[in-house]
Amino acid sequence: MDHRRKNMDDPRISKDNQTVTANPVQPLHASHRVKEGFAGQRLLIVPPDRIQHGSRLPVVKDLQVTHIGHYHSAPHHYVHRRKGSPQAILIYCLDGCGYCETEGNTVTVGPGQLLVLPAGMPHAYFADEARPWSIFWIHFTGQRATDHLAALTGGESRTLLEIPEIEILRTAFEETYRHALDGFSDAGLLGLTTGLSRLIGLARIYSASGNRRSRETEDRILKTIRRLQAEPTRDWQVEELATLAGMSPPHFHDRFHQQAGCPPKQFLIRLRLQTACALMLDPGLTIAEISRRVGYEDPYYFSRLFRRHLGQSPAAYRREIGGKR
């Protein structure tokens, strides 16, 4: 049976952004299974003594890569961990197709999808026979590993995320992988940590919601964010932005806060202050001129706002960055 077929007889059902197989896909016969050893594979494992050392290093101890690798087409790939892995695992599909079984469900993993497996979760994953997947993967642990997973999934219990920006994720992985090539020095371990943290952040930024309605709402909010970024000095009103998004003002306010991490007015203030910080580097501009350029006619109000959000006055900030004194 072709498990990728999409018709009325297909046993798969949609569950959020995951393709769940009601009647699990049958994995490869045991005699054909391969855990690793694929043509052109890259695989690096941090030695136990360096993992132990890293667990005492600042920053590294919070998020520590233990395994990292890339398989370009992995036919017969199959891994089964009855008790799960001691580390959390991220597997990103670049091409082809694979499957993952967890808690009695089987999800289909295709290009642009990120498989998220917390530590200790029993699982099995395997490549599609006809179109074996190409993947990169990272195992990690650390004192804040659970927090990073929660940030990645938005606090939801999801094992599959839609991250359609394949080239962005591929580049972030390659930058992380390079740090593992220097013999796992302290600097290399730190590079692995910061690289993984950046990759997780990018995955969260570019992740798409699982259902069509949520994606449409996100697109509407993104539309208003782009308008704010294009015209940060305009005196935007929440009602005007809500109309642009096609929502009621209260609903727009709540969804904007949820997606952007702050209310619309707060977001606009941050945009203006970011622009102001960049303008501080120009010695030919006074604080009053910068204030007007970012939308504040009253330089005293601008200074109070700047201090409230950045913890120091515009003049102090300018001295700190070496601008006009």
Side-chain angles (χ1 to χ4, degrees):
M1 175 180 178
D2 184 357
H3 291 284
R4 291 165 292 151
R5 185 176 46 142
K6 292 186 178 180
N7 58 32
M8 294 301 293
D9 297 324
D10 196 326
R12 292 179 296 173
I13 56 176
S14 175
K15 183 180 181 182
D16 296 330
N17 65 325
Q18 307 183 52
T19 303
V20 181
T21 306
N23 299 313
V25 175
Q26 294 301 312
L28 296 166
H29 188 274
S31 62
H32 296 132
R33 297 172 183 175
V34 179
K35 186 174 182 180
E36 58 186 64
F38 307 101
Q41 78 168 28
R42 292 180 290 166
L43 167 62
L44 290 171
I45 301 175
V46 182
D49 63 318
R50 299 308 295 169
I51 293 176
Q52 185 175 8
H53 176 70
S55 68
R56 298 189 294 270
L57 293 177
V59 182
V60 176
K61 65 183 178 181
D62 292 334
L63 185 69
Q64 188 171 14
V65 174
T66 62
H67 306 66
I68 183 170
H70 168 244
Y71 297 155
H72 175 67
S73 184
H76 311 306
H77 184 213
Y78 180 89
V79 176
H80 185 195
R81 299 185 178 94
R82 296 182 184 278
K83 296 183 180 180
S85 167
Q87 307 90 23
I89 304 173
L90 300 180
I91 301 175
Y92 187 70
C93 184
L94 300 163
D95 192 25
C97 181
Y99 307 95
C100 181
E101 297 178 350
T102 57
E103 300 175 342
N105 292 321
T106 301
V107 297
T108 302
V109 187
Q113 293 184 312
L114 180 68
L115 189 60
V116 181
L117 299 172
M121 173 185 282
H123 61 260
Y125 50 81
F126 46 96
D128 182 81
E129 292 187 61
R131 295 186 304 135
W133 59 10
S134 296
I135 56 173
F136 71 69
W137 47 268
I138 301 176
H139 290 222
F140 61 95
T141 185
Q143 296 177 10
R144 304 295 297 275
T146 302
D147 293 337
H148 282 272
L149 278 183
L152 173 61
T153 63
E156 300 179 21
S157 299
R158 293 189 287 169
T159 58
L160 196 65
L161 303 178
E162 297 278 350
I163 320 288
E165 300 291 344
I166 292 178
E167 289 308 313
I168 290 177
L169 268 289
R170 190 200 303 269
T171 299
F173 168 79
E174 294 296 343
E175 292 174 352
T176 304
Y177 187 86
R178 279 197 291 270
H179 291 294
L181 300 177
D182 71 346
F184 304 112
S185 65
D186 286 10
L189 294 176
L190 179 60
L192 282 171
T193 291
T194 55
L196 174 57
S197 178
R198 179 173 179 269
L199 191 152
I200 289 174
L202 289 171
R204 182 71 178 102
I205 290 171
Y206 292 106
S207 65
S209 295
N211 59 74
R212 182 176 179 181
R213 179 174 296 180
S214 293
R215 287 197 299 270
E216 289 176 349
T217 300
E218 287 180 350
D219 288 344
R220 292 181 183 184
I221 298 299
L222 184 58
K223 180 181 178 181
T224 64
I225 287 175
R226 287 171 176 163
R227 285 294 300 274
L228 289 172
Q229 291 171 333
E231 302 179 74
T233 60
R234 180 173 170 177
D235 186 21
W236 290 100
Q237 300 299 313
V238 172
E239 294 76 11
E240 184 180 9
L241 292 169
T243 299
L244 183 63
M247 303 179 188
S248 68
H251 182 55
F252 168 77
H253 184 278
D254 291 343
R255 292 308 300 259
F256 189 102
H257 195 168
Q258 180 181 0
Q259 188 166 332
C262 63
K265 287 292 187 182
Q266 186 82 0
F267 186 87
L268 181 59
I269 290 172
R270 292 178 181 178
L271 279 179
R272 290 178 171 184
L273 293 181
Q274 287 171 2
T275 302
C277 288
L279 292 174
M280 293 285 183
L281 293 169
D282 186 347
L285 294 175
T286 66
I287 299 297
E289 288 170 331
I290 292 173
S291 173
R292 286 192 293 272
R293 285 202 180 191
V294 298
Y296 299 108
E297 291 297 327
D298 184 349
Y300 297 104
Y301 174 75
F302 167 73
S303 295
R304 291 196 300 271
L305 201 62
F306 194 98
R307 181 187 293 275
R308 185 187 312 156
H309 286 271
L310 278 77
Q312 57 185 332
S313 68
Y317 177 86
R318 172 169 263 182
R319 286 195 298 269
E320 187 174 290
I321 64 173
K324 181 179 177 180
R325 297 180 183 276

